[in-house]
Amino acid sequence: DRHPDGVNRYYSAYIRNIKKYAPWVDVDFVQLSNEPNYSWWSGQFSSTRESVDTWLRVFNRLDKYIRQEFPQTTLLVPCLASSAFFSWSGWKNWTLPILKNAEHPLEYYNYHLYDQGAYTHLTWMEMLQAQTELLGRGRPQGVVTEINYALGEPRNFRERFRFFADQLFTALDHP
């Protein structure tokens, strides 16, 4: 929060270096933070409100910068850990303030697909989309940025991969 120019320089270098050294990679999305409701972010503030307000200031400044400098790249809203996103207190303390106070309408919302089936995740996304409509903002689409990283023993890889592929393709039919 104290060094917005440094944050901008970091993201600028990150995006420019990918374009320079891996030009085949499309940098469609970048993320400011993942699960900021965990203590690595929120634990450095005296209250949840202060951590959310600070996160939003940093996000809005970086979002403005990326929109100006890299219009083909979108800054994703964070994936909130399920302890915040899918609980009533977390919804009120984290999700609603982010949906209300992001300066630009949110086009995409970041989430993780773990062992729940696609329909559970689709229900959560519809919940989020319904809330953004109530706020008079557009319906953000979901972007999956993590799947279950603990696939288990090598003999289970194919079965686990098939499960996640099936869930993702099911979700694609329901934007």
Side-chain angles (χ1 to χ4, degrees):
D1 195 30
R2 295 183 209 138
H3 306 287
D5 292 335
V7 172
N8 293 347
R9 283 193 308 274
Y10 174 84
Y11 277 84
S12 182
Y14 180 78
I15 294 168
R16 289 183 206 285
N17 280 317
I18 290 173
K19 290 177 180 235
K20 180 177 179 179
Y21 296 108
W24 59 90
V25 175
D26 293 326
V27 187
D28 294 331
F29 303 107
V30 291
Q31 180 175 285
L32 170 63
S33 56
N34 182 46
E35 301 175 339
N37 55 303
Y38 279 151
S39 61
W40 68 266
W41 171 270
S42 63
Q44 58 189 315
F45 300 98
S46 60
S47 69
T48 300
R49 176 67 185 221
E50 183 184 4
S51 63
V52 173
D53 289 347
T54 305
W55 188 90
L56 276 161
R57 277 193 309 276
V58 174
F59 176 84
N60 284 327
R61 281 195 307 251
L62 181 59
D63 185 49
K64 181 179 178 181
Y65 176 78
I66 287 176
R67 286 175 186 270
Q68 289 172 349
E69 297 297 317
F70 304 98
Q72 75 285 359
T73 301
T74 299
L75 180 63
L76 289 175
V77 176
C79 183
L80 296 173
S82 59
S83 59
F85 185 70
F86 304 114
S87 70
W88 183 240
S89 65
W91 181 267
K92 291 188 301 184
N93 292 329
W94 278 96
T95 305
L96 286 178
I98 289 171
L99 294 176
K100 288 179 184 177
N101 298 307
E103 288 179 4
H104 293 96
L106 303 173
E107 300 169 67
Y108 299 97
Y109 205 90
N110 177 3
Y111 76 103
H112 299 165
L113 175 64
Y114 285 104
D115 289 324
Q116 294 88 5
Y119 292 109
T120 301
H121 284 274
L122 290 167
T123 301
W124 293 338
M125 276 306 302
E126 287 177 357
M127 212 172 85
L128 183 80
Q129 291 171 334
Q131 183 65 57
T132 58
E133 285 183 332
L134 283 173
L135 294 170
R137 306 188 112 188
R139 290 173 61 92
Q141 294 181 7
V143 175
V144 177
T145 57
E146 283 184 22
I147 64 168
N148 197 327
Y149 53 85
L151 293 176
E153 296 296 318
R155 66 181 182 275
N156 296 330
F157 285 176
R158 180 174 292 180
E159 180 182 319
R160 298 298 297 153
F161 182 79
R162 185 178 296 128
F163 171 81
F164 289 114
D166 184 50
Q167 301 315 307
L168 288 171
F169 283 114
T170 300
L172 288 175
D173 288 337
H174 303 81

